[in-house]
Amino acid sequence: MRKDLVAKLDDKLRAKRESFDKLPVVDIAPLLDGSNKQRVAKEIRWALSNTGFMYVKNHGIPQDFVDSVFDVSRRFFDLPTSQKMTLHVSKSDVALRGYIEPFGENTDPGKTKDLKECFDIGPERSTLEGPFLGPNQWPSSLPEFQKLTYGYHQKMVDLAKILLEGIALSLDQSESYFENFMRNPISIQRLLHYPPQSGYVSEEIIGIGAHTDYGNLTILAQDDVGGLQVMNRDGDWVEGIPIHGTFVINIGDLIQRLTNDVYLANMHRVVNTSGRERYSIPFFIDADFNAIIEPLPSCVTDSNPLRYNPVACGEHKFARFAASYAHLAEA
């Protein structure tokens, strides 16, 4: 590799390279087939109460299908900027569907500009219904893009509901607990491209600034480049090293609120100093827009007193987006 392409990291961006026994790999086959749901629930509880993150394997999504979505994602981001900008997210109003250019969304705007570009889709609607609900935008020059990415979205919806069954069991709730909050849930299927960085890299510009996710659950497919960093409970940044055939799962703010901080919505960021293009495919699922999230009574104790007031899912999520998107801040 050319020396001028090697990044020199600010000390604040250095991650400890640790084995990921600390971020466990959970085999969810017994949850999917029903053979041992309680064992999986126990492993989920340990992971989410200690790290907020876990890898899952044997999840039932064929790797060749995941690879095909990565391929069409790369081809989309290779399109000329002028073509991508015709699908800009601002054209979707508050539905927030479409293309976001580099620095167009900043997750830690007081500290960091995000060197990434994105494309977002969600549940298809014929007209704008409100925040997060409206028509998707599709690139006409890639006819297979819609079928692949929307098909992936639907598979992620199904997988997310199974994972949430496991989370419910891990909290000693009925496995159907989340169904009452998810009649018409907010979901976002995102494609991400992170250009490599070289030279001196500081917190001012990195792939994505430190943040917690906003809703219930995230399912992340990574390529083999790396760059994900997760903060452990000691405040150290730990690399989320890609493991082939797995998804990275983490919870968001709403599950942390639901569990009254028993489960951790952990800080994470992306720093791509690999010298290569990085691509990832995160899927986010929340609850219904008007669903009220408040701590479970079982998570409120003398040693863990009530920490949160009730919050409406959609209002909470949209407020977080409004702080990150330039076009919403200008509205």
Side-chain angles (χ1 to χ4, degrees):
M1 182 182 296
R2 286 167 42 194
K3 290 184 178 180
D4 62 335
L5 295 180
V6 177
K8 297 179 180 179
L9 286 177
D10 185 295
D11 286 343
K12 293 180 181 178
L13 294 178
R14 297 191 181 279
K16 295 174 68 176
R17 192 177 291 274
E18 298 183 5
S19 74
F20 267 81
D21 290 338
K22 298 182 185 300
L23 289 187
V25 179
V26 177
D27 182 349
I28 63 168
L31 179 64
L32 269 68
D33 64 22
S35 61
N36 199 337
K37 293 183 178 183
Q38 289 297 334
R39 190 191 78 192
V40 178
K42 183 177 179 180
E43 293 180 17
I44 288 173
R45 184 176 181 91
W46 188 95
L48 298 186
S49 60
N50 286 283
T51 71
F53 275 73
M54 60 185 176
Y55 298 96
V56 296
K57 66 178 183 178
N58 294 326
H59 45 67
I61 309 297
Q63 186 61 45
D64 59 353
F65 179 66
V66 177
D67 292 342
S68 70
V69 181
F70 270 110
D71 178 67
V72 79
S73 174
R74 292 185 188 98
R75 286 187 283 139
F76 171 78
F77 289 119
D78 283 343
L79 292 173
T81 299
S82 58
Q83 287 190 37
K84 292 182 287 190
M85 288 298 287
T86 65
L87 305 171
H88 193 264
V89 66
S90 61
K91 299 179 186 296
S92 73
D93 202 335
V94 294
L96 301 178
R97 309 287 176 82
Y99 175 69
I100 304 105
E101 74 281 17
F103 309 128
E105 178 200 45
N106 295 293
T107 52
D108 189 9
K111 182 182 294 186
T112 302
K113 294 177 69 176
D114 291 356
L115 183 58
K116 69 181 192 300
E117 54 180 339
C118 324
F119 191 86
D120 287 355
I121 66 171
E124 191 64 82
R125 297 290 186 270
S126 58
T127 60
L128 180 66
E129 297 178 7
F132 308 110
L133 294 173
N136 289 303
Q137 302 189 77
W138 302 109
S140 59
S141 59
L142 292 174
E144 67 275 37
F145 182 92
Q146 178 176 353
K147 179 179 179 181
L148 284 169
T149 59
Y150 199 71
Y152 187 89
H153 171 273
Q154 297 303 90
K155 287 183 181 295
M156 291 298 105
V157 169
D158 293 341
L159 178 59
K161 289 180 178 179
I162 293 170
L163 290 167
L164 286 165
E165 289 179 3
I167 291 174
L169 290 172
S170 77
L171 294 166
D172 298 321
Q173 303 296 312
S174 163
E175 64 184 67
S176 63
Y177 173 81
F178 286 99
E179 290 180 6
N180 292 329
F181 302 95
M182 302 179 68
R183 306 299 182 188
N184 187 24
I186 298 167
S187 62
I188 298 174
Q189 180 60 64
R190 168 165 281 193
L191 309 177
L192 276 167
H193 168 228
Y194 298 93
Q197 291 184 259
S198 58
Y200 181 75
V201 180
S202 72
E203 284 185 286
E204 292 181 359
I205 298 178
I206 57 175
I208 185 169
H211 66 288
T212 59
D213 287 348
Y214 308 154
N216 275 352
L217 187 72
T218 303
I219 304 174
L220 173 70
Q222 300 190 84
D223 64 10
D224 63 354
V225 171
L228 173 66
Q229 298 182 358
V230 180
M231 182 177 283
N232 66 22
R233 289 209 171 190
D234 295 324
D236 295 319
W237 289 102
V238 177
E239 291 189 32
I241 299 169
I243 300 177
H244 184 73
T246 67
F247 293 121
V248 178
I249 309 299
N250 65 282
I251 56 170
D253 297 340
L254 293 181
I255 296 294
Q256 180 162 329
R257 297 178 76 100
L258 179 75
T259 63
N260 202 40
D261 289 354
V262 173
Y263 286 1
L264 176 68
N266 213 340
M267 296 287 286
H268 54 287
R269 64 188 182 186
V270 171
V271 184
N272 181 19
T273 56
S274 65
R276 300 163 56 193
E277 310 293 320
R278 180 183 190 266
Y279 299 87
S280 67
I281 309 173
F283 168 81
F284 309 94
I285 195 162
D286 309 304
D288 297 339
F289 190 91
N290 293 320
I292 302 299
I293 307 299
E294 58 187 323
L296 287 164
S298 60
C299 294
V300 179
T301 63
D302 290 342
S303 60
N304 187 37
L306 183 69
R307 300 175 187 273
Y308 298 102
N309 293 321
V311 66
C313 169
E315 291 178 6
H316 166 81
K317 188 177 180 76
F318 192 73
R320 293 289 303 268
F321 270 86
S324 299
Y325 277 86
H327 78 276
L328 291 179
E330 294 166 359

